[in-house]
Amino acid sequence: MSTEPPESTVSPPEGSPSGPSRRTFVATTTVVGGAVVAGSLVAGPSVFGAEPADAAEAPPGSRVSLTVNGKRHTVTVDNRTSLLDLLREHLGLPGSKKGCNAGACGACTVLVDGRRVNSCLTLAVRLEGAEVTTIEGLAKGERLHPLQQAFIDQDAFQCGFCTSGQIMSGVGCIDEGHTGSPEEIREFMSGNICRCGCYVKIVRAVEQTAHGK
């Protein structure tokens, strides 16, 4: 018959360190600004009184010159800046709206060298020497562009948020010659969403402008 005491009562050999208790282990493995390795903290910055990190390097920028509504602009912008943000934030032209910011709603439509583009998806630095027309550049002084007047005549807007993009897209659609029928207009204006559902009147406004109806 064994005379050894039960295992739970065996004391650790003299001189050997005793293992940490469960409470001690949990306490020492709490991470505060560092990583846990074998129950101890690897040296790392503490969230309390941490040293300030080195200032991040400024993002790369480029100088770009382009003509907007007949006026030449030369600006230095972050290479990631969209044409939409250049217009709104740098040139003070808020008429082009930021809707989805993903090229899906058309609220930001402008003309670049006469062609329709979603300005939220167009990098400003790629437009060196380009000519950009926004809703602010359509009217001639106090005289509205014919499509702007047609939108008023046909009551082709409600909340107005998408209207600038709709008009710019409509101008492009007319210049491209895609106004042979209401169906063709709807097809080539399909990238512009009107959440108020004014599509019938928008098509009529484009028809009025294209055919003098």
Side-chain angles (χ1 to χ4, degrees):
M1 182 175 179
S2 174
T3 58
E4 293 182 2
E7 184 178 351
S8 60
T9 62
V10 176
S11 301
E14 185 177 351
S16 66
S18 60
S21 68
R22 179 177 178 278
R23 177 173 297 178
T24 303
F25 178 81
V26 171
T28 57
T29 55
T30 301
V31 180
V32 181
V36 178
V37 176
S40 62
L41 292 176
V42 173
S46 170
V47 294
F48 304 105
E51 292 294 328
D54 293 336
E57 294 184 4
S62 297
R63 189 179 180 87
V64 60
S65 295
L66 69 168
T67 301
V68 180
N69 299 330
K71 184 177 181 180
R72 191 74 171 175
H73 297 273
T74 299
V75 293
T76 299
V77 294
D78 183 329
N79 288 345
R80 300 165 295 181
T81 301
S82 67
L83 173 57
L84 178 60
D85 284 339
L86 173 66
L87 295 171
R88 292 178 59 86
E89 308 299 334
H90 295 264
L91 302 184
L93 297 171
S96 303
K97 303 304 181 185
K98 182 176 284 192
C100 65
N101 207 33
C105 73
C108 66
T109 303
V110 299
L111 302 181
V112 176
D113 294 330
R115 297 184 64 84
R116 294 179 282 176
V117 302
N118 290 321
S119 59
C120 70
L121 296 184
T122 305
L123 288 176
V125 294
R126 300 186 62 186
L127 299 180
E128 178 65 34
E131 292 193 10
V132 179
T133 303
T134 72
I135 191 68
E136 291 92 343
L138 282 188
K140 303 299 182 184
E142 296 297 319
R143 183 165 58 89
L144 295 178
H145 185 280
L147 187 54
Q148 290 176 305
Q149 185 61 54
F151 263 66
I152 295 173
D153 295 342
Q154 298 293 339
D155 194 22
F157 53 89
Q158 195 169 124
C159 79
F161 187 82
C162 74
T163 303
S164 59
Q166 297 280 0
I167 291 174
M168 296 308 300
S169 188
V171 170
C173 185
I174 293 168
D175 291 343
E176 293 160 15
H178 297 305
T179 57
S181 66
E183 292 74 24
E184 185 178 18
I185 293 171
R186 283 195 291 269
E187 174 68 22
F188 284 89
M189 291 284 290
S190 60
N192 290 77
I193 295 174
C194 175
R195 293 173 175 84
C196 300
C198 296
Y199 296 112
V200 172
K201 295 179 179 181
I202 289 171
V203 171
R204 287 176 183 167
V206 175
E207 281 189 297
Q208 173 181 315
T209 306
H211 308 298
K213 292 183 178 180

